[in-house]
Amino acid sequence: LNRYKKLLFFLEKKISFKNLIDIGCATGTGLNLFNKKGYKTTGIDTDKTRVDYGRRKNINVMHSDIYKFSKRDKYDLVLCIHTLEHFTNPEKALKKILDG
């Protein structure tokens, strides 16, 4: 949670954004900080137990991986914190993130 606090503080000083997606968000708890500031957030994670926990806390999280994720929404900001090293094909994942 502290990492997300620092990140939010930093980002608000550097860029303008309205919505974001967090890939590998776990329970989505960090997204609550962004929600409280009025940002529209989406999180995806492959761990169904964590996603279910986040949903019970009314956090917009989805059970998916980046390779299967499909949503027409565009995001101003993409977070992928301590996640890239877990992808089986990081190049494919980055292309999916960039191209949608």
Side-chain angles (χ1 to χ4, degrees), residues 30 68 79:
K68 296 175 186 168
L79 301 178

Side-chain angles (χ1 to χ4, degrees), residues 1-98:
L1 195 55
N2 197 32
R3 181 182 301 136
Y4 279 87
K5 286 180 187 177
K6 289 178 182 179
L7 180 61
L8 177 57
F9 180 77
F10 173 80
L11 289 172
E12 287 185 320
K13 288 184 171 194
K14 299 292 183 183
I15 62 173
S16 175
F17 62 97
K18 294 180 183 176
N19 59 28
L20 66 111
I21 185 168
D22 187 3
I23 300 165
C25 67
T27 62
T29 302
L31 292 175
N32 262 342
L33 295 171
F34 287 85
N35 289 336
K36 289 177 182 176
K37 294 282 252 168
Y39 298 105
K40 181 181 176 191
T41 63
T42 301
I44 65 170
D45 201 277
T46 58
D47 187 327
K48 185 163 178 12
T49 303
R50 290 180 181 199
V51 168
D52 290 344
Y53 177 87
R55 286 180 178 163
R56 286 192 303 272
K57 299 290 184 180
N58 295 317
I59 302 169
N60 182 24
V61 291
M62 292 180 255
H63 181 241
S64 183
D65 67 33
I66 191 59
Y67 307 110
K68 296 175 186 168
F69 181 72
S70 177
K71 194 160 182 166
R72 294 188 188 266
D73 293 343
K74 296 290 182 185
Y75 301 95
D76 298 329
L77 179 65
V78 176
L79 301 178
C80 191
I81 302 169
H82 294 287
T83 304
L84 188 61
E85 67 271 19
H86 299 284
F87 294 142
T88 56
N89 187 337
E91 294 85 7
K92 184 178 177 183
L94 287 172
K95 182 166 177 37
K96 174 76 173 175
I97 291 167
L98 291 171

